[in-house]
Amino acid sequence: MRRIGTRLATLALLGVTAAASGGLLGARPAAAHAQLVGSDPRADSTVTRQLDQITLTFNELVRGNFSTVVVTGPDGARHGTGQPRAVDKQVHLPVEPVRSGGYRVAYRVVSADGHPIQGQFRFTVTLPPGEEPAPAVGNTDAADVASPVAAAPEDAGSGTGRWWAGAAGLGAVGVTAGFLLVRRQRRVPDR
């Protein structure tokens, strides 16, 4: 009779563990993190004037510390000068004179709740003849071209992968605990 109770308790423990890990697997983090809502220049736009800065606008406050913005030009060189500066919901990065061609802006900022947000977009510069700046020299070091943002899906910042990893870990611990409990009960002789 005692064995039946022990087995029922073990099965109940396994059921609770499975339900808890299943709940975590199905749960999604709240989408209350900052999101990019605009930029100057706009994504996929064509600019016909010289730029002095790139501005990213978010729907919530962002932290200035740990923010990274990289502007890569058609020559593979970085065009940002200095550090990004966050003011309320905007991040500003000064840029050196740009030449005509395609540019990529990659960013990684931290929202007010501490969640990192990352993404990228492109824009094109088409300057009138005579407004092209002289080409920059010595700014194409391979280390400078590396982006702070790996090519990632649009919702890479959602944290879904961490939820899956946590739930899988919890499930593995629960299954292991249940297995060890059943195994231990088999070793204890009935009295």
Side-chain angles (χ1 to χ4, degrees):
M1 193 66 143
R2 184 165 186 230
R3 276 188 164 191
I4 293 174
T6 303
R7 286 186 181 166
L8 287 175
T10 302
L11 288 174
L13 174 66
L14 288 173
V16 168
T17 303
S21 64
L24 284 176
L25 289 174
R28 301 213 26 123
H33 306 299
Q35 296 177 2
L36 183 69
V37 294
S39 63
D40 182 22
R42 289 187 329 266
D44 301 320
S45 67
T46 299
V47 177
T48 58
R49 60 179 165 72
Q50 194 53 254
L51 299 172
D52 59 351
Q53 75 175 354
I54 302 293
T55 301
L56 307 176
T57 304
F58 295 88
N59 65 336
E60 294 180 6
L61 295 175
V62 292
R63 296 181 181 178
N65 52 345
F66 306 115
S67 293
T68 304
V69 180
V70 175
V71 180
T72 307
D75 54 357
R78 286 186 176 185
H79 289 272
T81 60
Q83 295 296 317
R85 182 177 49 94
V87 178
D88 297 328
K89 296 179 180 181
Q90 293 187 327
V91 176
H92 306 276
L93 176 71
V95 294
E96 61 189 28
V98 296
R99 299 183 58 76
S100 293
Y103 288 80
R104 180 177 69 112
V105 177
Y107 62 90
R108 179 177 167 84
V109 300
V110 178
S111 65
D113 66 357
H115 189 81
I117 309 302
Q118 63 186 21
Q120 60 184 334
F121 64 91
R122 295 182 181 278
F123 67 93
T124 303
V125 174
T126 305
L127 296 175
E131 288 190 27
E132 289 286 336
V137 180
N139 198 15
T140 58
D141 182 20
D144 286 343
V145 179
S147 169
V149 180
E154 283 300 313
D155 74 339
S158 70
T160 304
R162 285 180 273 169
W163 282 92
W164 280 102
L170 180 62
V173 167
V175 169
T176 302
F179 175 76
L180 291 174
L181 184 62
V182 168
R183 187 172 173 192
R184 181 176 178 202
Q185 292 301 324
R186 287 184 181 171
R187 288 186 181 177
V188 175
D190 281 340
R191 294 183 190 182

